[in-house]
Amino acid sequence: MKIIILGAGQVGASVAESLVSEANEITVIDTDTRRLRQLQDRLDLRTVAGNAALPSVLRQAGAEDTDLLIAVTQSDQTNLCACRTADTLFKIPTKIARLRSADYAQHPELLDGKNFAVDFSICPEQIVTDYLLKLIEFPEALQVLKFADGLVSLVATRAVAGGPLVGHPVSDLRRHMPKIDARIAAIYRRDQPLAPEGDTLIEAGDEVFYLAATQNIRQILSELRRRDQPTRRIMIAGGGNIGSRLAGVAQERYQVKLIEANEARARELGSTLTNTLVLHGDTTDETLLAAENIDDMDVFLALTNDDETNILAALLAKSLGARRVLALINRRAYAELLQADRIDIAISPAQISIGSLLAHVRRGDVAAVHSLRRGAAEALEFVVHGDPTTSKVIGRRIDELELPQGASIGAIVRGVSRDIPGASLRLGQVLIAHGDTLIEPEDHVILFLASKDLVPRIERYFQVGLAFF
């Protein structure tokens, strides 16, 4: 595909890196020439310096024959104006816009073809907030990702000595929990992927990914590690877009404290977050953290806009007794260095939100994409179409499929109606994948890919043949 990305910030750079690796023709537009030079130094793409909303700049980037426009600058107005220009002057077929303000979600008519002509909109801050809420709800998990409108969840957790299944083969999961069906999709041991077989032993320290019906994920977590006490008290460092959104939602269920370094911002948040204790101060101030009983906190989340501040605040909170600490870290090298060391979870906001974009770029009918292990692996939800003559998967058992090594089917959701207005995917039936499971037309097939390099082969394998049309 020929793709233009507007904005070379964290989201734009992550999207560019992901899509370049899949042999797409990428052009990035930004006003910051330094960012563009850094991108061009490490990625095979074109860059154009200028205002992304101007027709002349879009034309210079090759908008006349572009397949996809991804507008992810920091400005909602720039993104909206660029989509309107791309539609009116260049007839770009698909336009995706990043919209940070919640106002636009309340008026979707503004995004239709008669107005700003946005085909799909995303809010990375809201995506990250939802992601953090799941980690607060399931403190034993490293990742909790939803498929099929929440019917199925993919959970990553680190196996801990003393867990009932630790030291036992994968096949024991069914013996331990005969009434619950689940699938261990992958195991990472010392950062190397293992394809789990029935006799594969689970070791302490393994990073285990499993798929199950969402209602069952807590029981399976308890097999891999002792269940942590429920979350009651959380402390948030940073009152920016993500920190304030998280506090606003979490304060209805948890006791929340929020620390903000900017006094004016702290006063503003104090007046709007009615059930949150908002404190003005330095998130790396040991005296302040101790005075606010950091050792009683179930979860500490460092969510400022500065990686170094988040790292220091999380390390300090852990050393002072916080039970679990999470930090937003944009630089991948930092995240990989610190994950599972003194910081329990290092979170890359761009990698979390990128899945919403990739779902619109992947070939075939892709309902969901989740980036895993900081972009190294991926999970996809394909909707399969066709019949046994036009599809390589329909009418075949899973053990008959010729999937590449490193790719596995974890679950299928069947019986989904997409044509009835207002129909919910919760009408579907969750089938955990086994070798004799037969794939039928319109099934939602959830795959785990141990390496992103497998994506093009899987896309081709699941595409319906031309004879179907």
Side-chain angles (χ1 to χ4, degrees):
M1 297 178 70
K2 187 171 182 181
I3 302 169
I4 296 177
I5 299 171
L6 313 183
Q10 289 292 340
V11 176
S14 295
V15 172
E17 183 174 1
S18 179
L19 297 179
V20 161
S21 67
E22 297 169 23
N24 294 290
E25 186 180 337
I26 308 293
T27 302
V28 179
I29 302 175
D30 200 286
T31 55
D32 189 330
T33 55
R34 180 185 59 84
R35 282 180 174 175
L36 294 178
R37 279 197 306 272
Q38 289 175 344
L39 267 183
Q40 215 164 18
D41 285 344
R42 62 190 183 88
L43 300 175
D44 181 18
L45 47 71
R46 278 188 67 220
T47 61
V48 174
N51 184 333
L54 292 178
S56 58
V57 175
L58 289 172
R59 184 174 286 108
Q60 185 182 350
E64 289 95 339
D65 59 348
T66 289
D67 302 300
L68 172 65
L69 179 86
I70 302 175
V72 287
T73 74
Q74 295 281 345
S75 166
D76 287 358
Q77 290 73 27
T78 298
N79 296 337
L80 289 170
C81 185
C83 287
R84 178 72 268 176
T85 303
D87 185 72
T88 302
L89 297 184
F90 304 109
K91 308 301 180 189
I92 294 177
T94 306
K95 300 159 293 293
I96 301 173
R98 171 188 186 174
L99 298 177
R100 306 178 79 182
S101 173
D103 287 357
Y104 295 108
Q106 298 169 14
H107 300 282
E109 65 274 13
L110 291 174
L111 307 182
D112 65 23
K114 296 179 181 179
N115 293 292
F116 287 114
V118 176
D119 297 297
F120 306 102
S121 64
I122 67 161
C123 177
E125 292 82 3
Q126 188 59 49
I127 293 169
V128 173
T129 299
D130 294 341
Y131 183 92
L132 292 172
L133 279 171
K134 279 295 181 186
L135 293 178
I136 293 171
E137 183 182 356
F138 298 98
E140 306 92 342
L142 299 172
Q143 285 186 291
V144 181
L145 306 169
K146 296 188 298 182
F147 293 94
D149 200 32
L151 267 181
V152 180
S153 290
L154 175 68
V155 179
T157 188
R158 194 168 300 283
V160 173
L165 203 60
V166 177
H168 295 268
V170 167
S171 58
D172 275 11
L173 179 61
R174 168 137 326 182
R175 184 172 60 81
H176 282 216
M177 311 182 78
K179 295 182 179 180
I180 294 178
D181 207 2
R183 167 85 180 236
I184 293 180
I187 296 173
Y188 283 81
R189 183 169 297 160
R190 292 178 284 278
D191 284 332
Q192 296 301 313
L194 300 177
E197 304 290 343
D199 57 355
T200 303
L201 292 180
I202 296 175
E203 297 181 2
D206 284 353
E207 192 173 332
V208 181
F209 287 82
Y210 69 86
L211 272 159
T214 298
Q215 63 193 23
N216 297 328
I217 62 176
R218 195 177 293 280
Q219 295 97 304
I220 301 163
L221 270 172
S222 66
E223 288 293 310
L224 296 164
R225 53 186 299 147
R226 293 190 184 95
R227 182 175 176 181
D228 289 352
Q229 65 188 54
T231 301
R232 294 189 300 273
R233 294 175 292 272
I234 69 174
M235 182 180 286
I236 299 170
N241 280 322
I242 294 174
S244 59
R245 281 174 187 264
L246 180 62
V249 181
Q251 66 182 357
E252 304 304 323
R253 296 179 54 188
Y254 309 103
Q255 298 174 33
V256 181
K257 294 183 179 181
L258 185 150
I259 302 174
E260 169 55 42
N262 182 283
E263 184 175 358
R265 177 64 173 167
R267 291 183 182 278
E268 178 188 346
L269 292 174
S271 64
T272 56
L273 297 172
T274 54
N275 292 330
T276 296
L277 176 61
V278 179
L279 305 161
H280 168 235
D282 181 358
T283 59
T284 61
D285 182 346
E286 180 179 357
T287 304
L288 174 62
L289 293 180
E292 293 303 325
N293 302 313
I294 186 66
D295 55 333
D296 284 338
M297 292 297 147
D298 297 309
V299 182
F300 177 89
L301 303 104
L303 309 178
T304 76
N305 294 322
D306 183 78
D307 281 1
E308 285 78 9
T309 299
N310 289 341
I311 292 168
L312 288 173
L315 290 173
L316 182 60
K318 192 72 170 180
S319 70
L320 292 174
R323 182 159 62 91
R324 192 165 179 80
V325 299
L326 293 79
L328 283 189
I329 302 177
N330 287 294
R331 294 181 64 174
R332 184 182 297 177
Y334 285 0
E336 291 177 349
L337 181 67
L338 292 164
Q339 173 87 23
D341 184 20
R342 298 291 300 282
I343 294 176
D344 294 299
I345 303 181
I347 297 166
S348 167
Q351 287 299 329
I352 293 169
S353 55
I354 196 175
S356 296
L357 289 167
L358 293 178
H360 303 300
V361 179
R362 295 279 179 258
R363 293 169 177 83
D365 190 351
V366 179
V369 176
H370 290 295
S371 183
L372 310 172
R373 305 197 87 249
R374 293 172 291 283
E378 199 164 284
L380 301 96
E381 178 185 343
F382 275 97
V383 185
V384 295
H385 303 294
D387 53 48
T389 61
T390 58
S391 168
K392 296 176 182 177
V393 299
I394 289 176
R396 292 168 175 82
R397 294 160 37 121
I398 287 178
D399 58 11
E400 295 174 336
L401 302 182
E402 297 176 1
L403 297 177
Q405 186 175 2
S408 63
I409 295 176
I412 292 171
V413 181
R414 178 168 297 158
V416 175
S417 173
R418 310 175 88 195
D419 300 322
I420 302 172
S424 169
L425 284 174
R426 295 191 181 279
L427 296 171
Q429 173 190 7
V430 177
L431 304 172
I432 298 302
H434 300 288
D436 59 355
T437 304
L438 203 68
I439 298 179
E440 298 180 1
E442 307 309 311
D443 278 352
H444 287 235
V445 179
I446 299 166
L447 294 102
F448 183 96
L449 308 183
S451 168
K452 245 177 66 48
D453 296 340
L454 298 171
V455 169
R457 293 172 63 184
I458 291 296
E459 285 178 336
R460 288 193 298 269
Y461 194 69
F462 275 79
Q463 278 182 326
V464 66
L466 292 175
F468 177 67
F469 303 100

